Amino acid sequence: MTTFRSLARNRDFTVLWTGEAISQLGTSVSLFVFPLLGYALTGSAGLAALGEAAYLLGFVATLLPAGILADRVHRRRLMLLSSATGVAVYAALGALALSGALTFTALVLGALVSGVAAGIFGPAETAALQAVVPTEDLPTALSQNQARQHVASLLGGPLGGVLYTASRAVPFVANAASYLVSCLSLSLLRTDLAAPERVQKSRMLADLREGFGYVWRHPVFRPLLAYAALSNLVVNAVFTIAILRMVQAGVAPTAIGLVETCAGLGGIVGALMAPRIIDRVATGRITVLAAWSWLPLAAPLAFTASPWVVGPCVAIGLLLNPAGNAAMGSYRVAVTPAEMIGRTTSAMQFSAMATMPLAPVLAGLLLHAFGPASSTVGLMACIAVAALVPTLARAIRTIPRPASWPTTQPSYNEEPVGARAAL
C-alpha cells in the first residue's frame, strides 16, 4: 500500500499538491467572506448569498468545455491560466476594497470569473494526475487531495473572519497571494503534461458528445451518473433542513458553526484513513457502503436538529466519504483512456454537481409544505433509492481492490473495462 509518506517522495505531486492546498485555502477564505461583504454592501440577506452562488454557477457552467480543453490543450498551461486569472481577479477585488470603490456588482462578477477559472482548473488537474502519479499511487493521491479540501473548509472560515476583521481588502489580497503560489508551483513541474496526440481532431461539440457517449456506454460510469446526482441532492437537502430548523429555533450562530467544524474534522480523519481502507476493501464494496451510510445518519434528524446531533452525524458520514470518492475517482482515472480523461472528469463532475444548487430550494419547499419530520423521512426514502443504484449495478459492486485494477490505460477504441458486466 502506498502511504502518504512514500507519496511525498513523488516530487511533482508534492509540488502540485502543496501549491493547490494553499490556493484552496485562499479560495475557502474568499467564499466565507463573499456573503459577509455582500450583506455589508447591500444590507439584504437575500442578496448576500449571490456572490457564492455566482462562484458555483461559474464553476459548474465551465466544467464541460473545460473537460474538452483538457483533452486538447497542454494541461499545465490551462492550470497556469486558471491560477493567473485568480491572481488578477482577487488582486482587483482587493484594490477596489482598499480604495473604497468596491461595488456589489464587481463582487459578484469577480466571484463568477473566479468560479470559471476553478472550473477550468479541475479537469486539467485530474488529467495531470494521470501523468504525474502511477496507477498504484492514485488512491493515496486522491485521498490526499480530499484531505486538502477538508482542511481548507475547516480553516477557511476562522481565517477569513480574522482577515475580514482586519480589513475588507485583506482576504482578497491573501487569496491573490495564494493563487500566485499556485502559479509558482505549477511552473516548477517537470512532468510532461501535454495533451495526448489525437489521430483525428473534431469540433468541440463533437468532442463533448464523444465524452458523454463514452461515459454513457461505460457500465460503471453510467449508473454512477444517476447515483451521484440524486445522492448529492437529497443528502444536502437533509442537512439543509437541519440547519434551517436550527435557525428557526434561534440556535446561536456559534453553535451552528459547530456543524461545519465537525464536517471538516470528519473529512480530514476520513481522508487520512482512506488509503488503508481502499487497500483492504474492494472498491465496489466501499462505494456501496458509503452510499448506504447516510441513511442511518439521517434518521436522528427526523426527530431533532440539535447541533450536538447534526454535527456528529455529518462527521461520521464524512469518515467513509473520502474513501468512497478517492477509490472510485482513482479507478475512473485508471481505466479511462488518456485522451478521454478530461471529458470524462468534467462529465462526471457536472452531473454530480448540477443538482446541488437545488438542494436548498428543495429543502425549503419540503420544510414549508410538510414540516421537518415528514420531509426528512421522505428524503431518507430518496437516499435509499439512490443507494440502490450502485448496489444493484453489478459492474460497480464487483470492482476489486486497486491491486487488481489495470496497470495501463486502455485506448479509446478498446471496449470499456467491465463492459460485459450486466447491470
Side-chain angles (χ1 to χ4, degrees):
M1 180 189 72
T2 303
T3 64
F4 291 120
R5 181 175 297 179
S6 61
L7 188 62
R9 291 193 288 269
N10 184 325
R11 175 194 176 276
D12 275 4
F13 174 77
T14 300
V15 169
L16 177 62
W17 187 90
T18 302
E20 295 324 302
I22 295 171
S23 177
Q24 282 190 350
L25 178 58
T27 299
S28 183
V29 166
S30 293
L31 289 175
F32 178 82
V33 168
F34 280 148
L36 300 180
L37 193 49
Y39 184 78
L41 292 171
T42 65
S44 168
L47 293 176
L50 286 183
E52 185 176 358
Y55 177 90
L56 292 173
L57 176 63
F59 180 85
V60 174
T62 311
L63 279 174
L64 294 180
I68 296 172
L69 289 174
D71 288 335
R72 285 172 170 254
V73 182
H74 199 289
R75 280 78 182 259
R76 182 166 65 175
R77 293 172 188 166
L78 281 177
M79 292 188 287
L80 276 169
L81 173 63
S82 171
S83 294
T85 301
V87 173
V89 167
Y90 287 107
L93 289 176
L96 289 172
L98 192 61
S99 65
L102 181 63
T103 64
F104 182 66
T105 300
L107 180 71
V108 173
L109 286 176
L112 179 67
V113 174
S114 64
V116 169
I120 291 173
F121 191 95
E125 184 190 20
T126 301
L129 278 179
Q130 196 181 54
V132 171
V133 179
T135 299
E136 60 271 18
D137 293 346
L138 282 172
T140 304
L142 291 182
S143 298
Q144 195 162 322
N145 283 358
Q146 292 268 311
R148 80 184 183 197
Q149 292 174 8
H150 290 292
V151 169
S153 176
L154 180 65
L155 299 180
L159 180 59
V162 171
L163 297 178
Y164 184 73
T165 301
S167 166
R168 290 181 177 182
V170 174
F172 297 134
V173 173
N175 198 7
S178 76
Y179 274 103
L180 194 60
V181 173
S182 173
C183 290
L184 177 62
S185 67
L186 290 168
S187 67
L188 295 176
L189 296 178
R190 297 171 180 170
T191 305
D192 181 11
L193 300 181
E197 288 292 331
R198 298 169 61 187
V199 176
Q200 182 177 3
K201 292 186 177 180
S202 56
R203 295 181 179 179
M204 292 188 72
L205 186 57
D207 274 0
L208 182 61
R209 288 197 300 266
E210 186 180 44
F212 265 106
Y214 184 83
V215 169
W216 187 253
R217 291 193 307 273
H218 202 289
V220 172
F221 300 165
R222 184 171 64 250
L224 278 179
L225 287 177
Y227 164 66
L230 181 56
S231 179
N232 281 338
L233 173 63
V234 296
V235 170
N236 281 285
V238 166
F239 288 103
T240 300
I241 287 177
I243 297 296
L244 292 175
R245 288 175 69 185
M246 284 189 281
V247 173
Q248 290 176 336
V251 175
T254 52
I256 298 176
L258 176 67
V259 174
E260 185 172 343
T261 301
C262 288
L265 291 174
I268 292 170
V269 174
L272 294 175
M273 294 166 50
R276 189 172 298 276
I277 295 173
I278 295 170
D279 183 63
R280 296 185 175 186
V281 183
T283 298
R285 187 172 299 175
I286 295 173
T287 304
V288 172
L289 289 174
W292 285 103
S293 67
W294 291 110
L295 187 59
L297 294 171
L301 305 187
F303 307 101
T304 178
S306 165
W308 305 106
V309 175
V310 179
C313 285
V314 175
I316 294 171
L318 288 175
L319 286 177
L320 191 57
N321 201 55
N325 288 341
M328 190 54 69
S330 52
Y331 176 80
R332 176 175 51 80
V333 173
V335 302
T336 300
E339 62 270 28
M340 295 291 297
I341 189 66
R343 283 168 287 171
T344 57
T345 296
S346 63
M348 297 294 291
Q349 285 186 334
F350 177 82
S351 300
M353 296 187 65
T355 58
M356 290 179 66
L358 300 176
V361 178
L362 177 63
L365 291 175
L366 290 175
L367 191 59
H368 176 74
F370 303 105
S374 298
S375 299
T376 303
V377 171
L379 289 170
M380 287 173 59
C382 294
I383 291 175
V385 171
L388 282 173
V389 176
T391 304
L392 297 178
R394 184 174 180 272
I396 294 178
R397 202 173 61 246
T398 57
I399 297 175
R401 293 184 299 133
S404 300
W405 293 354
T407 55
T408 57
Q409 281 77 32
S411 69
Y412 174 64
N413 293 324
E414 290 181 27
E415 187 179 20
V417 173
R420 297 184 182 85
L423 295 183

